[in-house]
Amino acid sequence: MSHVDLMAGPPPTHLPDDPADAELASGDDAGSVVRRHPASPAAWAALAAAAHEQGADDLTVYAYSRVGYHRSLDLLRRHGWKGHGPVP
Protein backbone atom coordinates (compact mmCIF):
# COMPACT_ATOMS: atom_id res chain seq x y z
CA MET A 1 0.00 0.00 0.00
CA SER A 2 1.42 3.39 -0.92
CA HIS A 3 0.90 6.46 1.20
CA VAL A 4 0.31 9.98 0.01
CA ASP A 5 2.20 12.73 1.78
CA LEU A 6 -0.68 14.90 3.01
CA MET A 7 1.73 17.63 4.12
CA ALA A 8 3.37 17.99 0.73
CA GLY A 9 2.68 21.24 -1.06
CA PRO A 10 1.93 21.77 -4.72
CA PRO A 11 4.66 21.24 -7.27
CA PRO A 12 6.88 24.21 -8.07
CA THR A 13 5.71 26.71 -10.67
CA HIS A 14 8.40 27.32 -13.28
CA LEU A 15 8.34 30.51 -15.30
CA PRO A 16 9.80 31.02 -18.78
CA ASP A 17 12.63 33.44 -19.43
CA ASP A 18 11.43 37.03 -19.69
CA PRO A 19 12.36 38.44 -23.12
CA ALA A 20 12.68 41.90 -21.58
CA ASP A 21 15.61 40.77 -19.40
CA ALA A 22 18.07 40.65 -22.30
CA GLU A 23 16.97 44.03 -23.59
CA LEU A 24 17.29 45.61 -20.15
CA ALA A 25 20.70 43.99 -19.63
CA SER A 26 21.91 45.45 -22.93
CA GLY A 27 21.02 48.92 -21.68
CA ASP A 28 17.78 49.57 -23.55
CA ASP A 29 15.61 52.33 -22.09
CA ALA A 30 13.10 50.88 -19.60
CA GLY A 31 10.22 52.86 -21.12
CA SER A 32 10.94 51.44 -24.57
CA VAL A 33 11.19 47.92 -23.18
CA VAL A 34 7.81 48.30 -21.41
CA ARG A 35 6.25 49.45 -24.68
CA ARG A 36 7.58 46.34 -26.45
CA HIS A 37 6.84 43.94 -23.56
CA PRO A 38 3.92 45.35 -21.53
CA ALA A 39 3.34 42.01 -19.78
CA SER A 40 6.92 41.86 -18.45
CA PRO A 41 7.26 42.27 -14.68
CA ALA A 42 10.99 42.95 -15.11
CA ALA A 43 10.33 45.80 -17.53
CA TRP A 44 7.89 47.46 -15.13
CA ALA A 45 10.32 47.03 -12.23
CA ALA A 46 13.08 48.63 -14.31
CA LEU A 47 10.75 51.48 -15.24
CA ALA A 48 9.92 52.06 -11.56
CA ALA A 49 13.63 52.04 -10.65
CA ALA A 50 14.48 54.43 -13.48
CA ALA A 51 11.67 56.78 -12.47
CA HIS A 52 12.91 56.74 -8.88
CA GLU A 53 16.49 57.46 -9.96
CA GLN A 54 15.27 60.35 -12.11
CA GLY A 55 13.44 61.89 -9.15
CA ALA A 56 9.88 61.06 -10.15
CA ASP A 57 7.27 61.58 -7.48
CA ASP A 58 6.43 58.67 -5.18
CA LEU A 59 2.99 58.17 -6.71
CA THR A 60 4.48 57.57 -10.17
CA VAL A 61 7.09 55.15 -8.84
CA TYR A 62 4.40 53.31 -6.86
CA ALA A 63 2.12 53.10 -9.91
CA TYR A 64 4.87 51.53 -12.06
CA SER A 65 5.73 49.12 -9.24
CA ARG A 66 2.10 48.17 -8.76
CA VAL A 67 1.65 47.39 -12.45
CA GLY A 68 4.76 45.18 -12.29
CA TYR A 69 3.36 43.36 -9.27
CA HIS A 70 0.13 42.60 -11.10
CA ARG A 71 1.98 41.50 -14.25
CA SER A 72 3.91 39.10 -11.98
CA LEU A 73 0.69 37.64 -10.62
CA ASP A 74 -0.72 37.32 -14.14
CA LEU A 75 2.41 35.48 -15.28
CA LEU A 76 2.35 33.14 -12.29
CA ARG A 77 -1.33 32.30 -12.80
CA ARG A 78 -0.85 31.67 -16.53
CA HIS A 79 1.72 29.04 -15.59
CA GLY A 80 -0.45 27.19 -13.10
CA TRP A 81 0.30 28.89 -9.79
CA LYS A 82 -2.71 28.71 -7.46
CA GLY A 83 -1.67 31.30 -4.91
CA HIS A 84 0.73 29.14 -2.95
CA GLY A 85 3.66 26.86 -3.49
CA PRO A 86 7.27 27.33 -4.53
CA VAL A 87 8.37 29.44 -7.48
CA PRO A 88 12.06 28.63 -8.04
Side-chain angles (χ1 to χ4, degrees), residues 38-41 44 66-76 78:
S40 167
W44 285 101
R66 188 74 179 171
V67 172
Y69 166 75
H70 282 284
R71 296 301 73 84
S72 296
L73 291 176
D74 294 343
L75 183 63
L76 284 165
R78 274 196 309 271

Side-chain angles (χ1 to χ4, degrees), residues 2-10:
S2 66
H3 298 282
V4 176
D5 184 357
L6 297 176
M7 297 301 287

